[in-house]
Amino acid sequence: MASGTRDITLVAVPGEGCCCVQFVSIPSGFFVLGQRWHKNIGQVDPGFKMCWPFFYRVSHIITRATVTYSAPSRQVPCADNVMVDINLSLTFSIGPSLEDAEAFVYTLGCTRFDEFLAAEVEEGVRGLVYSVTHDRVNDLREEFAQSMLASLSNKFRPFGVQARAHGAPPISSAAPPLLSPPSSPHSFAPRGRTVGRTRKCPSAFQSSSSL
């Protein structure tokens, strides 16, 4: 994680050396991509490298971990114009192959992935919720999760990202107050709305460790 934030680092981009480096330590457990004269040469094997020349460099270090993405949508209208709040959580990972990691960093990148994912989730949730009335939203939680998963998988798989559902999303509704007849002393008040925070995936961060 980045210092002082809750952001999760997906890709680290090490700095470049100005001359021959005496030794370089390549970490294991990641996709480590290398370049020769700024041309991609694929995976760099982990271990200790002696006399690392300046025209070789580690270009990207990509996590293999599974990451949870929280995407709460607030005030989503149903077909009967009742607003609901949906807290959708997805898990995703980059890989599992080296080609997937290369596709992610060279065709999409962290910043565009963050923007693309947020827009797709918001659009998908609003489209699904608007097709049903508020009294049926809770009954269709599993259907929402599976539909979103299928849509995201199809759109992100070419970029090396595997998306998975993370359980049925909790849903809270805020039904409008019902108007009572004049003779009735009772009326119904709307239920409270839940409040949450959005967590997004960050852009690539410069690696602070020496490789």
Side-chain angles (χ1 to χ4, degrees):
M1 289 188 176
S3 177
T5 72
R6 300 181 63 186
D7 292 338
I8 299 173
T9 302
L10 298 180
V11 180
V13 181
E16 296 187 52
C18 59
C19 58
C20 182
V21 181
Q22 185 176 5
F23 61 88
V24 173
S25 179
I26 307 299
S28 61
F30 301 89
F31 294 109
V32 182
L33 304 183
Q35 293 180 350
R36 183 179 186 271
W37 296 112
H38 296 278
K39 182 179 180 180
N40 180 43
I41 59 174
Q43 176 78 27
V44 178
D45 295 330
F48 194 75
K49 314 291 183 182
M50 296 291 294
C51 299
W52 186 267
F54 69 93
F55 51 83
Y56 281 103
R57 64 184 291 260
V58 174
S59 59
H60 303 87
I61 302 175
I62 305 112
T63 182
R64 294 175 181 264
T66 299
V67 179
T68 300
Y69 180 89
S70 179
S73 298
R74 305 302 178 197
Q75 297 296 289
V76 182
C78 299
D80 52 1
N81 206 32
V82 175
M83 301 298 178
V84 298
D85 297 335
I86 298 181
N87 296 313
L88 180 65
S89 292
L90 301 169
T91 59
F92 66 87
S93 61
I94 301 170
S97 68
L98 177 64
E99 290 73 19
D100 291 329
E102 291 176 333
F104 180 79
V105 297
Y106 287 117
T107 62
L108 186 61
C110 290
T111 301
R112 282 178 291 181
F113 174 61
D114 181 17
E115 297 169 351
F116 193 11
L117 181 59
E120 287 296 330
V121 170
E122 183 75 11
E123 179 182 356
V125 167
R126 290 185 178 275
L128 289 171
V129 173
Y130 192 70
S131 64
V132 298
T133 57
H134 78 279
D135 56 335
R136 296 189 60 222
V137 171
N138 274 301
D139 298 333
L140 299 177
R141 292 191 303 163
E142 288 290 347
E143 183 177 327
F144 285 158
Q146 295 303 319
S147 178
M148 285 297 303
L149 174 62
S151 175
L152 293 175
S153 296
N154 292 334
K155 292 180 179 179
F156 285 106
R157 198 68 196 94
F159 303 109
V161 178
Q162 289 186 322
R164 306 177 184 87
H166 191 59
I171 299 172
S172 61
S173 63
L178 302 177
L179 297 179
S180 303
S183 59
S184 174
H186 303 291
S187 62
F188 295 90
R191 290 183 290 175
R193 300 177 177 88
T194 59
V195 178
R197 284 187 288 181
T198 302
R199 180 185 303 169
K200 293 184 178 180
C201 301
S203 306
F205 290 95
Q206 291 288 339
S207 174
S208 58
S209 59
S210 60
L211 299 176

